[in-house]
Amino acid sequence: MPELPEVEVTRRGVAPFLEGRCVTGVVLRHSGLRWPFPVAPLQALAGCVIRKTGRRGKYLLLHFDHGTLILHLGMSGHLRVLPAATPPGKHDHFDLLLNEEMLRLTDPRRFGAVLWHDAQDGDLENHVLLKKLGAEPLEPSFSAQLLYRGTRNRKAAIKQVLLAGDIVVGVGNIYASESLFRAGINPNTPAHRIALARYEKLAQAIRETLAAAIEQGGSTLRDFRGADGRAGYFQQTYFVYDRAEEPCRLCGKAVRQIRQGQRSTFYCASCQK
DNA sequence: CACGACTCCTGCTGGC
DNA sequence: TGCCAGCAGGAGTCGT
């Protein structure tokens, strides 16, 4: 399930094949994913050059002179660069043609998105889906202070606040559990009751968790081009995620699984207070 | 505003 | 062996 590290690794994997390349057409095999495809703007991309790739939270951005293509992988989506003649599979919903190659979006569960932001509609940062997003966790704007100040009136559990994405983006269900474990914070703790010193540990834990995941994903970069790779996912070793009843890697006590807002959370009651 | 429930979708797992 | 309920999950939307 793509979280920020997977999305960033995807961006790095496909960027060399996209930046500076001219779009020769698009193919749509479905009316849309989470939202209907923006058919007219997509068709108008033929002849336009992809200037640069980017990322905001879990949104992948392809910048053109006249606007930006916004891609989201949902929880089952992945992108690959393939020969243009590659026959489509059942869940291949969108191709961006680039002469003899193409960028293909596959998404079995169709939680993903393909959207267009026109430069005439103002700054990309003001796009309805992007403007409420919190800080980028791997950029200097993210800090313990930001977490602390942002949570003074938040009584919800810290795990829930991290997932909400309005203070910091890109911390999905897996990395929320992992980061809270590394910081030694119980996921049930009301966010406004956590002191600045503990947010220092959490901010550092989030940075380290995400950076380590991106580094691990680096080995899959070449898989984003070609038909035989499994681009988009990479297996990792987790401290607590998906390890219910297994021994904590630090203290050996059984990892607990609880439900928070219809989502599974994993933690060690002994190491996280 | 803050927050929790609900929702979209398909593939996989477990129970019978 | 087959069937089906339940679960997984990002994040927008809606009701409170």
Side-chain angles (χ1 to χ4, degrees):
Chain A
M1 44 252 39
E3 295 201 24
L4 186 147
E6 287 84 353
V7 177
E8 177 60 18
V9 168
T10 296
R11 188 194 67 74
R12 294 181 190 181
V14 299
F17 309 111
L18 302 184
E19 295 180 351
R21 296 279 293 276
C22 182
V23 174
T24 51
V26 298
V27 177
L28 307 173
R29 294 188 197 81
H30 210 278
S31 59
L33 298 173
R34 180 162 190 177
W35 295 287
F37 288 131
V39 177
L42 288 176
Q43 287 173 343
L45 288 178
C48 300
V49 174
I50 303 169
R51 296 298 178 192
K52 202 162 172 44
T53 64
R55 179 185 57 74
R56 181 71 179 97
K58 295 170 189 165
Y59 292 94
L60 261 168
L61 310 173
L62 303 188
H63 299 291
F64 293 81
D65 289 332
H66 66 303
T68 301
L69 190 61
I70 304 172
L71 304 176
H72 197 291
L73 301 178
M75 66 160 290
S76 60
H78 64 249
L79 289 169
R80 269 185 300 160
V81 175
L82 297 169
T86 309
K90 185 181 175 185
H91 302 298
D92 295 336
H93 310 302
F94 170 70
D95 296 337
L96 193 66
L97 305 177
L98 309 155
N99 284 314
E100 73 285 356
E101 288 190 310
M102 66 177 163
L103 179 72
R104 172 163 280 175
L105 173 63
T106 306
D107 185 5
R109 296 187 195 174
R110 296 177 38 223
F111 275 25
V114 178
L115 300 164
W116 174 255
H117 177 264
D118 203 282
Q120 290 185 343
D121 297 335
D123 290 343
L124 181 62
E125 284 292 305
N126 289 326
H127 185 278
V128 62
L129 294 181
L130 304 183
K131 66 181 178 188
K132 291 174 191 163
L133 297 182
E136 284 291 329
L138 297 178
E139 288 182 10
S141 55
F142 174 63
S143 67
Q145 281 284 349
L146 188 98
L147 286 177
Y148 181 76
R149 290 195 193 124
T151 51
R152 288 313 83 197
N153 59 346
R154 301 287 283 267
K155 296 176 184 170
I158 180 62
K159 160 83 172 342
Q160 303 279 81
V161 171
L162 289 178
L163 286 185
D166 57 334
I167 298 177
V168 59
V169 296
V171 187
N173 205 45
I174 296 173
Y175 296 118
S177 281
E178 292 296 297
S179 298
L180 287 165
F181 175 82
R182 289 192 188 214
I185 297 173
N186 186 307
N188 285 310
T189 314
H192 74 298
R193 289 216 213 117
I194 298 175
L196 179 59
R198 305 198 79 200
Y199 275 125
E200 296 281 2
K201 298 193 78 172
L202 182 56
Q204 195 53 30
I206 289 171
R207 288 190 201 101
E208 288 172 4
T209 305
L210 296 181
I214 290 172
E215 201 168 318
Q216 270 197 289
S219 61
T220 70
L221 282 182
R222 60 194 166 83
D223 297 337
F224 286 92
R225 186 189 218 178
D228 52 344
R230 292 195 180 276
Y233 304 115
F234 36 99
Q235 199 52 50
Q236 293 175 73
T237 302
Y238 299 123
F239 279 111
V240 288
Y241 182 78
D242 204 22
R243 297 194 62 242
E245 302 307 322
E246 291 177 42
C248 170
R249 298 193 197 283
L250 283 191
C251 76
K253 298 223 171 71
V255 170
R256 292 187 186 178
Q257 177 174 8
I258 59 172
R259 303 287 293 180
Q260 290 182 291
Q262 331 292 105
R263 274 300 105 84
S264 280
T265 300
F266 300 85
Y267 74 107
C268 171
S270 174
C271 295
Q272 297 172 255
K273 301 293 185 184

